[in-house]
Amino acid sequence: MASVSVPGGGGGKRKVDVNIELVPFIDMLAMMITFLMMTAVWTQLGKIQVSQAAMGGSESSTPPRPTLQLNLTVTERSYLLLVGSEMKEIPKTPDGSFDTAKLVEELKAVKKDYPDHRSITIAAEDGILYQHLVLTVDKCIEAGFPDVSVTAALG
Amino acid sequence: MARHFSRPIIVVPGKRPGKRLMRSRVFGRGIGKRKKDINSDLNLVPMIDIFVLLVIFLIQQFSADGDLLFMTDRIKMPEAANYDQLMRAPVIQISPDDIALEGQMIARISDIEGQELWNIPKLEEVLRDQKKAFETLNTSEEFKGDINIQADVNVPFKVLKKVMYSANQAGYFNINFAVIAAGGGAPSEETEG
């Protein structure tokens, strides 16, 4: 057991060596470890905030400021990126997954031209899976468009 | 007489080599020496060091985020790298089979998919009730309209849009998709504010 030896105990006087009781300390540490292991959360959770884009016209009385119209449509075959009036198609890669690298590249190019613009509207087809939608939203945020609105693709 | 008493009375059995042999460096090794004490103290200090390090590591890992969602095997959540910290809000769970609000079953996916309605009437009704209850109980606190959606990766957008529309109609405008943090990165600062 751990002990502390203090000099000066000679001459027939009482011993001044002290034993530190480590067992309760070890007990406490073992209990803490058990409790923390049981309550530990190994998967870190997060959230991606989105808003739902209005389907109808704006009801506000003030006329809207002319801003860039940035829409991204997620279809079964490709991404359709609408920047103003210019439409770009980003088809899926040969392995069948969405080409997110190309999407980020295109969005970063838009961000470079419009550095103050923060919003993007994502329209998805009915058959698009939730994981692909989240992936698309994630890539839009990565490219510098954190205000994401989600709506249903028309047609 | 004195010489007689200097001899030991009880002779312990064992090796008794001659004096010259005992003094010998080669043959006298180990003879006449006392055996080592077999009582030895365990050195607990390294173990305590490891325990302390483990406790510090586990305290750093400790997070209450797991309590915000009902984790279940039926829902496999998607991963995202650009996420924000999850906050307490009503949770809509969308599994491949059904939709639940705070653990309470609302509707079956198979029933919803066939409907032409944009919303899910029961979900909207329950959310409206929750909002009303919040406003009645918390008169000083403003209703923020946050809602967490915990959906399975394979849920189609057709179902998701109905859930989102119902939440919107009930007054929940801040929709949060619950995700698993990918890559162990820190929460995104872009999404804050």
Side-chain angles (χ1 to χ4, degrees):
Chain A
M1 210 46 59
S3 60
V4 177
S5 187
V6 182
K13 287 180 186 174
R14 239 174 43 174
K15 274 189 175 180
V16 288
D17 292 0
V18 182
N19 261 335
I20 301 170
E21 274 297 324
L22 289 177
V23 176
F25 185 58
I26 293 167
D27 287 351
M28 189 195 71
L29 285 174
M31 291 304 292
M32 277 182 83
I33 288 168
T34 312
F35 169 75
L36 288 167
M37 290 276 246
M38 282 168 67
T39 56
V41 179
W42 303 107
T43 50
Q44 198 180 352
L45 301 173
K47 70 171 184 183
I48 290 181
Q49 191 170 349
V50 297
S51 59
Q52 197 170 22
M55 296 298 289
S58 172
E59 290 177 4
S60 83
S61 55
T62 53
R65 269 180 18 204
T67 53
L68 174 71
Q69 191 191 5
L70 185 60
N71 286 358
L72 177 66
T73 307
V74 190
T75 70
E76 302 277 3
R77 296 177 306 281
S78 62
Y79 284 130
L80 297 172
L81 182 63
L82 181 70
V83 185
S85 57
E86 188 188 350
M87 173 78 85
K88 285 178 187 170
E89 183 170 14
I90 304 166
K92 280 185 171 180
T93 53
D95 64 346
S97 59
F98 285 100
D99 195 349
T100 49
K102 179 84 173 157
L103 175 70
V104 172
E105 193 182 304
E106 292 284 350
L107 286 173
K108 280 188 175 170
V110 176
K111 186 72 183 175
K112 203 173 177 185
D113 294 340
Y114 302 92
D116 295 334
H117 195 81
R118 290 169 56 89
S119 62
I120 185 167
T121 303
I122 297 174
E125 284 185 347
D126 283 354
I128 296 299
L129 298 180
Y130 180 61
Q131 62 177 332
H132 295 141
L133 179 70
V134 167
L135 179 70
T136 309
V137 175
D138 189 26
K139 294 299 169 188
C140 289
I141 295 169
E142 185 185 323
F145 298 98
D147 301 338
V148 180
S149 304
V150 177
T151 186
L154 299 172
Chain B
M1 286 294 280
R3 199 176 170 190
H4 175 74
F5 283 115
S6 66
R7 287 187 174 181
I9 298 167
I10 300 168
V11 179
V12 182
K15 285 181 185 175
R16 271 190 300 285
K19 285 179 182 175
R20 285 186 64 186
L21 198 62
M22 280 178 75
R23 280 189 219 114
S24 165
R25 283 186 183 177
V26 179
F27 301 106
R29 191 176 292 167
I31 299 170
K33 288 181 184 171
R34 289 182 65 191
K35 281 186 181 173
K36 276 189 179 175
D37 195 355
I38 54 165
N39 290 326
S40 59
D41 284 339
L42 276 172
N43 194 5
L44 295 174
V45 177
M47 190 176 85
I48 292 168
D49 288 351
I50 288 170
F51 272 24
V52 169
L53 284 174
L54 255 170
V55 167
I56 291 168
F57 169 75
L58 287 168
I59 287 173
Q60 278 184 338
Q61 289 288 312
F62 187 80
S63 163
D65 286 357
D67 296 337
L68 299 177
L69 300 177
F70 305 96
M71 302 302 280
T72 165
D73 293 341
R74 295 186 307 131
I75 299 175
K76 190 183 173 211
M77 289 162 63
E79 290 189 355
N82 301 283
Y83 61 91
D84 207 352
Q85 196 180 358
L86 196 67
M87 304 299 280
R88 179 80 193 101
V91 182
I92 301 175
Q93 289 178 295
I94 313 174
S95 76
D97 303 319
D98 50 49
I99 296 173
L101 176 67
E102 300 277 82
Q104 182 197 345
M105 164 91 165
I106 298 289
R108 299 199 71 80
I109 298 286
S110 53
D111 298 339
I112 294 166
E113 278 186 318
Q115 290 176 355
E116 288 299 317
L117 287 170
W118 270 79
N119 66 340
I120 302 163
K122 192 180 175 190
L123 178 63
E124 195 178 318
E125 186 190 326
V126 177
L127 284 172
R128 274 186 206 279
D129 289 346
Q130 283 211 358
K131 185 187 174 191
K132 204 177 283 179
F134 180 89
E135 285 171 341
T136 310
L137 294 169
N138 304 287
T139 47
S140 57
E141 201 178 336
E142 195 186 348
F143 178 73
K144 290 175 185 167
D146 281 315
I147 197 146
N148 293 333
I149 292 180
Q150 182 190 5
D152 186 82
V153 288
N154 292 318
V155 168
F157 185 69
K158 188 180 185 180
V159 175
L160 191 71
K161 76 178 180 188
K162 290 188 181 198
V163 171
M164 289 174 70
Y165 189 76
S166 302
N168 245 317
Q169 290 297 304
Y172 292 84
F173 301 109
N174 296 328
I175 295 168
N176 304 310
F177 292 152
V179 293
I180 291 173
S188 161
E189 289 179 8
E190 287 277 352
T191 53
E192 286 170 10

